[in-house]
Amino acid sequence: MSQQKPSRPLVRIPNIEPKQEEIPDLAQLAVATGGALITGGLYFGIGTRLQVISPLVVIIVLILTTVPSLGWIIVKRRLLPYRLGRLVALTHVVVLGALLVLSLARLVVVLPSYSQGRDLLRDGALLWVINVLIFSTGYWEIDGNGPVNRMRSHHEASDFMFPQQQGGNRTGWAPGFIDYLFLAFCFSTALSPADSMPLTKRGKLLVMAQASISLIIIVLLIGRSVNILA
């Protein structure tokens, strides 16, 4: 007679639910989206002599490159695929940055045509504010490769180090869009870092670019204003 092999005890496989996808703070994403749209809206205020393309086209491009990501998260409770999300996020920064540089170049060319200090002050001030908003949005999207990766790395310092992140950010403090707006404001006014330092090469290059644009705008405003008053 053949002996029966003892049956092995059944191993129960636990019912493991799929891990829910982590989503950044929706309020901060909404504020960042609003900041990008406001930047486009400011193009309606500058004079036609500095407008490279129609401000309406700028608004449409910004809506197509900012609203879908936020809307997808709100409706689907999921993030866009990483490559697509990063492409969409960086496209509006590149578009706004290119428009700013072109408008600044036009300002240099048509500067002698300004006969009213009020018009020059308006256009220069708007370009200066647009510069701050563009780079604050850029810092938000680039630091640590975006808000999603910053959240997954527990908001440790990456491209920029805020005072709260010193010592490894043990408290888990998370920088919001206003923090990057303050960062960009300081770079455009002091033309140098304040209490937050750029750590990477790309961060330092962005700071240099923003400070240079701000300095050019200020120098052009002062120089032409002196000629108008004289």
Side-chain angles (χ1 to χ4, degrees):
M1 296 180 63
S2 60
Q3 297 181 353
Q4 295 182 352
K5 295 182 180 180
S7 58
R8 296 181 179 179
L10 296 178
V11 178
R12 294 182 177 272
I13 300 176
N15 185 17
I16 302 176
E17 297 182 355
K19 185 178 179 181
Q20 186 177 5
E21 188 173 11
E22 295 177 330
I23 298 176
D25 189 350
L26 284 177
Q28 290 296 332
L29 289 175
V31 172
T33 302
L37 295 178
I38 291 173
T39 306
L42 291 177
Y43 275 97
F44 283 95
I46 63 176
T48 56
R49 71 187 84 185
L50 299 185
Q51 293 177 1
V52 181
I53 59 176
S54 171
L56 184 59
V57 176
V58 178
I59 291 294
I60 293 174
V61 172
L62 290 179
I63 290 176
L64 294 177
T65 56
T66 55
V67 174
S69 299
L70 182 62
W72 184 268
I73 294 174
I74 294 175
V75 175
K76 298 292 187 178
R77 304 299 298 178
R78 295 178 56 188
L79 296 169
L80 287 174
Y82 179 78
R83 292 179 181 270
L84 178 60
R86 293 303 294 159
L87 177 63
V88 171
L90 296 177
T91 296
H92 73 268
V93 176
V94 174
V95 169
L96 288 175
L99 289 176
L100 173 62
V101 173
L102 291 175
S103 296
L104 182 61
R106 288 179 65 90
L107 176 62
V108 175
V109 173
V110 303
L111 186 63
S113 66
Y114 281 94
S115 58
Q116 297 292 329
R118 177 179 57 188
D119 295 337
L120 176 60
L121 180 61
R122 178 201 62 199
D123 290 347
L126 285 176
L127 284 182
W128 189 89
V129 174
I130 289 172
N131 181 39
V132 173
L133 290 175
I134 288 177
F135 278 92
S136 60
T137 304
Y139 297 150
W140 162 269
E141 294 292 353
I142 291 173
D143 186 21
N145 292 324
V148 176
N149 280 347
R150 290 199 300 271
M151 179 186 62
R152 291 172 178 171
S153 64
H154 305 290
H155 300 284
E156 294 183 357
S158 181
D159 291 271
F160 299 93
M161 175 178 285
F162 293 91
Q164 296 89 336
Q165 293 175 321
Q166 295 180 359
N169 193 13
R170 298 178 181 178
T171 61
W173 176 83
F177 181 76
I178 300 300
D179 297 294
Y180 293 100
L181 180 61
F182 172 77
L183 197 67
F185 181 82
C186 291
F187 293 153
S188 283
T189 51
L191 306 179
S192 62
D195 60 349
S196 304
M197 302 296 295
L199 302 179
T200 60
K201 293 180 180 179
R202 65 179 179 182
K204 294 175 181 178
L205 289 174
L206 285 174
V207 172
M208 291 169 59
Q210 184 190 357
S212 298
I213 292 174
S214 179
L215 182 60
I216 291 174
I217 294 174
I218 294 173
V219 170
L220 291 177
L221 284 178
I222 295 176
R224 183 55 185 168
S225 298
V226 170
N227 291 332
I228 292 176
L229 292 177

